Amino acid sequence: VPRRAASIRSNDDGDFVVTLDNEREISAGSVVVATGVQYRKLPLARLEDFEGAGVYYAATETEARFCTNSDVVVIGGGNSAGQAAMYLCRTAKHVHVLVRSKSLAASMSSYLTNRLEAEPRITVHYETQLTVLHGGDQLEQATVKNSATGETWTIDTNGVFIMVGAAPNTKWLKDCVELDDKGFIKTGPEVGSASPYGTSREGIFAVGDVRSGSVKRVASAVGEGSVTISAAWGYVNRPK
């Protein structure tokens, strides 16, 4: 700890060999993949400086408390961005939603879009992107630009919420198990596994956010993990 899995292969005995990023190898009779996802980030200067100090990737009560009675910026055109905007507008002075496209029709449910447009404390800025973050130890301002008109302006804000999706940590598995078109691990009957969390490779299981079709909730991931450990134990102790 902390170590990343770099690759995986099978040895002559049928066990799995996981190579870590320090080149150490670990052998195991079964593998449970619970590597989750990584939030997609924006190519902005000082982004990492402000992470947790004004830049967030989730909109919960904790983050909302920091933004009470101030303007906030939500970036993204999907349902997660829309839900975050609706949640934050309850305590924020005003919520600015930045969307790269000309419309939300293809990326957000019509019900949620209608709610955003009807809420007076939310403004959706289409064809608009965040370009610069400003501040000392804490975020203080964000400069945004409309790509259609070229207009730029600065918003006084202590909260920027980046909701542009997440990518699974599965590059090390791509030659071992079947992945969907977004890189998430396929499991269950779709790949011929009797276990809903079994992958296309017998003995390898996937749980949580990294699994294709998961609901992306902590409670669900914990439940999947507890069930799968039992399945992995059964696989290791199967009659040979």
Side-chain angles (χ1 to χ4, degrees):
V1 177
R3 291 297 175 196
R4 290 180 177 270
S7 64
I8 186 172
R9 60 180 172 82
S10 296
N11 62 18
D12 295 337
D13 296 329
D15 285 344
F16 301 104
V17 179
V18 177
T19 302
L20 305 183
D21 58 1
N22 64 350
E23 299 186 357
R24 180 186 176 190
E25 293 186 342
I26 298 176
S27 298
S30 182
V31 175
V32 178
V33 183
T35 51
V37 297
Q38 291 179 324
Y39 293 113
R40 291 192 174 95
K41 299 186 178 184
L42 300 177
L44 294 169
R46 297 200 66 196
L47 177 67
E48 294 184 355
D49 293 345
F50 293 122
E51 288 179 337
V55 171
Y56 308 104
Y57 298 93
T60 69
E61 182 180 354
T62 300
E63 292 83 15
R65 192 180 304 125
F66 295 140
C67 305
T68 301
N69 297 323
S70 65
D71 282 23
V72 300
V73 176
V74 175
I75 302 171
N79 285 338
S80 60
Q83 291 164 356
M86 291 304 305
Y87 180 77
L88 292 167
C89 78
R90 298 186 304 175
T91 56
K93 179 181 178 182
H94 199 86
V95 178
H96 302 269
V97 181
L98 310 186
V99 183
R100 289 192 303 174
S101 62
K102 297 180 180 180
S103 168
L104 290 171
S107 58
M108 187 180 293
S109 67
S110 57
Y111 168 76
L112 193 51
T113 301
N114 292 338
R115 290 189 65 191
L116 293 182
E117 294 175 344
E119 172 54 56
R121 289 199 290 181
I122 296 177
T123 301
V124 180
H125 304 274
Y126 295 102
E127 297 183 273
T128 303
Q129 300 181 52
L130 176 65
T131 58
V132 184
L133 298 169
H134 309 271
D137 294 333
Q138 297 282 327
L139 180 68
E140 298 172 8
Q141 294 179 321
T143 297
V144 300
K145 180 179 180 179
N146 183 291
S147 58
T149 65
E151 178 188 4
T152 64
W153 67 97
T154 298
I155 300 171
D156 292 331
T157 179
N158 62 355
V160 168
F161 294 81
I162 301 176
M163 304 287 184
V164 293
N169 301 312
T170 56
K171 289 183 179 179
W172 62 287
L173 281 164
K174 64 180 180 180
D175 297 323
C176 184
V177 301
E178 286 189 37
L179 309 176
D180 66 15
D181 58 352
K182 295 182 179 178
F184 291 89
I185 302 173
K186 293 182 178 181
T187 58
E190 181 182 13
V191 290
S193 175
S195 166
Y197 312 114
T199 69
S200 60
R201 189 70 168 267
E202 191 177 12
I204 299 180
F205 302 86
V207 299
D209 289 4
V210 75
R211 190 174 63 83
S212 179
S214 70
V215 296
K216 308 297 184 291
R217 293 293 184 271
V218 171
S220 176
V222 171
E224 292 177 8
S226 64
V227 171
T228 300
I229 290 300
S230 178
W233 179 253
Y235 177 81
V236 169
N237 292 280
R238 72 194 186 285
K240 297 181 181 179

